[in-house]
């Protein structure tokens, strides 16, 4: 029998002893064994910190992002292999797509996110903070990668997505990972890691894999490490309370199974499109992955007067779900992950039946296609009904982690909000309604108890990714029972693996550290115009002080006629009483245009085009007779990648534009962007 490998300290190692037996969830046949016995977990952590961490830290965000992209492209070449193994977990083709290609999609998403970061090994966090009246002392937060390892303890239901959605984030942040998948489906995770290691895309030490027990791994974590856990709330609490986690103040993120819910709005009737949308959403969430999703719908709340219509419609929809061997193209729902999982689900259902009744499905029998219902871990979808949700606690506390959900009534929107909250915190909640007023009232009332809320109606149904789909750029997590943590969330997730540091110093010092010009820092003026410099030649702080220009009444009138902006403050002398203006004022956009006329170099050169405007403030009114001048300063440089081989090598340059009048006071300030060619193509 095959024994799974552990990829640690730069090599594949099998654990001692026989280890835990692994079985095909569809037919019950043995697959192999998994063991981590005999491994030195302290050495594994140390290897990640000393080998993987420095290698990743020296890469910029852009380099890390391109690394993720290359990895995603590589894994796509091995999809057939991954799918063939995934079927053994009981997953259908559609289930496997979510797990495998959904996970690879996360790599692509975080690869693209590199463009939101500087081409540096660190990043700025938030706006600068002035700390002195004279402008010589300031503060600025920055983020640097932690010097430890991300330890990911994952659940059995998504052996690929669960790994890739987490490592995409920590790798972009510059931190290596140790992945400990749930042993029962770790054979699929191992297959993916084999391809990752074989690709040689990641630096050595950036990823390690443990197939089996975590042993004493947590006994050796430090404050520079990060631990994430996905699984049951009970196990998560035990890990979160580990003495070493507490003593070292190790960041710990938990995503626990939760009693997620869906609400049918009072406005929805069987003749409305939202009715069918609701039925399809519940059926999908009950049967996808055989209900083994941390985001699956466990509680269904519908208006009291629609209870029977809804559960009958759901029963009809569920009856169309074909169950059996996931490799058979006729099958729409596969098996649970294993026999032990099926027994656990049945035990939890028995607890629910103390206050509920089955209105669809059978606890003891199931019709299957191309399979043996006893040898495989198959189970019928079960729809339960509870008529007294305010008097029953089990339905809000007990989770049967399979194709099981309970329908319950409510009488008004306040009751629906109260019932949604009785789950004590969930990963996701959905409301299906055509009324924006109902949606608003429900969301604002229930938002405190849910990590994500999907408002589903006919307008968005076709494009909706669904109740159960966490997305890379949105946070995945929830309060209370759901774990109190967050995963992914785009930039937010990356920051979780970085240390925030508050810098204090002079603007010049902070400019040198951050590589972003800070107002008041020292500048450099040269005879060569900044617009005559190629991207590589420009330095942060390069400055141009322009000639001056006096604004005339003709300028104001002409700009109004050219722009068609005849706002009274610019053109009507008789309407200024009671305003902040003494007389017709120059248009703000004229001031900005006039500033450009002063600082732009007209000759053809490295500057290819104006790329946009990020910030613009008109601080002081400018009247006819005022004389303005401009200080143009190179504020920040952003690398751009070539989109094709014949593309021009270039970057984006941010310029600080400060416009002053004859008194020396600022009248306008803006950040403009230009696209600048590189000298070396």
């Amino acid at each position: 029998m095959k024994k799974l490998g552990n990829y640690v300290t730069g090599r594949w190692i099998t654990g001692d002893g026989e280890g835990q037996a692994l079985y095909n969830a569809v037919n019950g046949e043995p697959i192999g064994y998994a063991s981590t016995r005999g491994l030195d977990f302290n050495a594994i952590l140390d290897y990640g910190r000393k080998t993987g961490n420095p290698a990743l830290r020296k890469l910029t965000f852009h380099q890390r992002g391109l690394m993720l992209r290359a990895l995603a492209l590589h894994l796509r070449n091995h999809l057939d292999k991954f799918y063939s193994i995934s079927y053994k977990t009981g997953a259908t083709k559609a289930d496997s797509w979510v797990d495998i290609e959904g996970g690879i999609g996360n790599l692509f998403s975080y690869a693209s996110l590199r463009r939101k970061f500087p081409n540096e090994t660190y990043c700025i966090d938030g706006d600068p903070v002035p700390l002195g009246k004279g402008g010589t002392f300031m503060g600025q937060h920055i983020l640097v990668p932690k010097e430890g390892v991300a330890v990911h303890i994952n659940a059995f239901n998504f052996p690929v997505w669960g790994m890739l959605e987490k490592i995409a984030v920590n790798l972009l942040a510059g931190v290596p990972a140790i992945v400990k998948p749930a042993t029962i489906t770790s054979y699929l995770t191992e297959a993916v890691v084999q391809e990752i290691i074989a690709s040689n895309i990641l630096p050595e030490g950036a990823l390690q894999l443990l197939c089996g027990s975590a042993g004493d791994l947590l006994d050796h974590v430090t404050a520079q490490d990060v631990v994430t856990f996905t699984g049951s709330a009970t196990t998560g609490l035990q890990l979160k309370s580990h003495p070493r986690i507490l003593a070292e103040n190790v960041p710990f993120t938990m995503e626990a199974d939760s009693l997620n819910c869906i609400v049918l709005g009072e406005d929805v009737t069987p003749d409305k499109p939202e009715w069918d949308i609701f039925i399809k959403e519940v059926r999908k969430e009950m049967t996808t992955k055989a209900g083994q999703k941390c985001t699956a719908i466990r509680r269904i709340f519908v208006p009291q007067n629609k209870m029977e219509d809804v559960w009958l419609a759901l029963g009809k929809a569920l009856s169309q779900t074909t169950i059996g061997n996931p490799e058979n193209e006729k099958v729409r729902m596969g098996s649970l992950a294993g026999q032990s999982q099926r027994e656990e689900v049945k035990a939890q259902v028995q607890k629910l039946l103390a206050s509920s009744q089955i209105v669809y499905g059978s606890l003891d029998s199931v019709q299957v296609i191309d399979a043996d219902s006893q040898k495989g871990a198959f189970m019928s979808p079960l729809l339960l009904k509870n008529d007294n949700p305010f008097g029953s606690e089990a339905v809000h506390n007990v989770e049967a982690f399979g194709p099981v959900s309970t329908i319950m009534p409510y009488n008004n929107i306040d009751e629906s909000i109260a019932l949604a909250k009785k789950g004590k915190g969930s990963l996701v909640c959905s409301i299906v309604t055509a009324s924006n007023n109902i949606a608003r009232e429900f969301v604002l009332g229930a938002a405190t108890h849910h990590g994500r809320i999907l408002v589903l109606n006919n307008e968005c149904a076709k494009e909706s990714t669904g109740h159960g789909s966490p997305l890379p750029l949105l946070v995945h997590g929830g309060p209370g029972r759901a774990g109190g943590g967050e995963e992914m969330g785009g930039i937010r997730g990356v920051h979780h693996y970085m240390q925030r540091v508050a810098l204090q110093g002079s603007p010049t010092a902070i400019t040198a550290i951050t590589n972003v010009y800070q107002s008041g820092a020292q500048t450099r003026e040269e005879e060569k115009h900044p617009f005559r410099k190629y991207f590589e030649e420009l330095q942060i702080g390069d400055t141009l002080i322009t000639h001056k220009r006096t604004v005339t009444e003709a300028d104001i009138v002409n700009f109004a006629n050219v722009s068609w902006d005849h706002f009274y403050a610019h053109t009507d002398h008789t309407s200024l009483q009671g305003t902040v203006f003494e007389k017709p004022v120059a248009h703000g956009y004229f001031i900005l245009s006039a500033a450009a006329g002063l600082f732009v170099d007209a000759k053809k050169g490295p500057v290819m085009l104006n790329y946009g405007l990020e910030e613009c403030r008109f601080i002081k009114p400018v009247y006819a007779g005022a004389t303005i001048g401009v200080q143009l300063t190179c504020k920040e440089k952003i690398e751009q990648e070539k989109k094709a081989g014949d593309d021009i090598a270039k970057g984006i340059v941010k310029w600080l534009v400060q416009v002053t009048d004859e008194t020396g006071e600022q009248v306008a300030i803006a950040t403009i962007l230009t696209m600048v060619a590189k000298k070396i193509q």
Side-chain angles (χ1 to χ4, degrees), residues 667-679:
V667 299
I669 186 168
T671 298
I672 67 165
L673 290 73
T674 60
M675 185 177 288
V676 181
K678 291 184 177 181
K679 191 171 187 178

Side-chain angles (χ1 to χ4, degrees), residues 388-635:
N388 185 22
F390 283 104
S392 306
E393 291 303 317
V395 74
H396 304 293
N397 293 320
V398 175
E399 179 177 31
F401 201 71
V404 183
S405 192
T406 305
I407 184 171
M408 292 168 274
Y410 72 87
N411 291 304
N412 53 57
I413 193 167
D414 289 337
E415 284 195 2
S416 70
I417 293 170
L419 288 170
K421 292 180 178 179
K422 283 184 72 66
K424 299 176 183 176
S426 81
L427 297 172
V428 56
C429 164
S430 291
I431 180 167
V432 180
T433 176
S435 167
N436 292 329
N437 290 332
I438 289 176
R440 173 183 168 83
E441 188 173 352
F442 179 84
V443 167
L444 296 181
T448 53
H449 285 58
H450 307 285
R452 174 167 58 91
I453 296 181
L454 168 64
V455 179
L456 195 53
N457 60 25
N458 194 42
E459 288 183 19
C460 67
K462 287 184 179 179
E463 289 192 318
S464 171
T465 50
H467 169 99
S469 300
L471 297 175
L473 300 186
L474 298 179
V475 293
H476 177 48
R481 182 191 173 106
E486 292 180 352
E487 295 174 6
M488 300 189 295
I491 292 174
R492 293 178 180 86
V494 177
H495 289 178
H496 181 67
Y497 297 96
M498 307 185 78
Q499 178 62 47
R500 181 176 289 104
V501 183
L503 300 183
Q504 293 174 289
S506 70
T508 301
I510 302 299
T511 294
I513 294 168
T514 62
N515 218 15
V516 174
Y517 177 78
Q518 306 293 337
S519 184
Q522 293 177 6
T523 59
R524 286 179 301 277
E525 288 187 74
E526 298 178 358
E527 185 175 340
K528 188 176 185 179
H529 193 289
F531 279 22
R532 309 304 302 166
K533 295 182 179 181
Y534 287 92
F535 186 82
E536 303 97 319
E537 297 173 325
L538 279 166
Q539 297 182 55
I540 304 301
D542 280 357
T543 296
L544 171 71
I545 306 295
T546 72
H547 297 294
K548 298 184 184 299
R549 168 180 177 165
T550 299
V551 177
T552 67
E553 289 186 2
D555 288 330
I556 299 172
V557 172
N558 289 337
F559 191 83
N561 290 332
V562 169
S563 66
W564 287 17
D565 178 357
H566 293 89
F567 187 64
Y568 75 90
H570 308 305
T571 59
D572 188 352
H573 289 257
T574 65
S575 299
L576 299 177
Q577 186 175 357
T579 72
V580 297
F581 303 114
E582 302 169 3
K583 50 187 175 180
V585 65
H587 303 68
Y589 295 113
F590 167 74
I591 298 301
L592 193 60
S593 299
L598 290 170
F599 66 68
V600 166
D601 184 281
K603 298 177 183 177
K604 183 178 180 180
V607 176
M608 301 166 63
L609 53 85
N610 185 328
Y611 194 67
L613 181 69
E614 273 194 346
E615 300 166 323
C616 183
R617 295 289 184 273
F618 304 122
I619 302 167
K620 179 183 177 182
V622 176
Y623 302 114
T627 300
I628 60 172
V630 182
Q631 177 174 320
L632 177 76
T633 305
C634 180
K635 180 179 179 180

Side-chain angles (χ1 to χ4, degrees), residues 4-5 98 146 167 199 214 218-219 228-229 275 316 336 414 514 516 529 585 638 645 656:
L4 300 189
V98 173
K146 290 180 179 291
I167 69 168
S199 74
L218 295 187
D219 290 345
T228 74
F229 169 77
W275 180 273
K316 182 178 179 181
L336 275 69
D414 289 337
T514 62
V516 174
H529 193 289
V585 65
I638 303 170
L656 178 64

Side-chain angles (χ1 to χ4, degrees), residues 215-259:
D216 65 351
L217 183 67
L218 295 187
D219 290 345
H220 308 290
V221 294
T222 72
Q224 286 295 311
D225 299 318
V226 176
V227 177
T228 74
F229 169 77
T230 301
S232 73
T234 302
T235 303
L237 181 59
Q238 292 175 349
L239 297 178
K240 192 175 184 179
S241 304
H242 190 285
R244 185 73 172 183
I245 299 287
L246 298 176
E248 290 283 325
N249 287 313
V250 179
F252 187 98
T253 292
M254 179 164 68
E255 185 251 280
D257 306 332
S258 59
L259 278 297

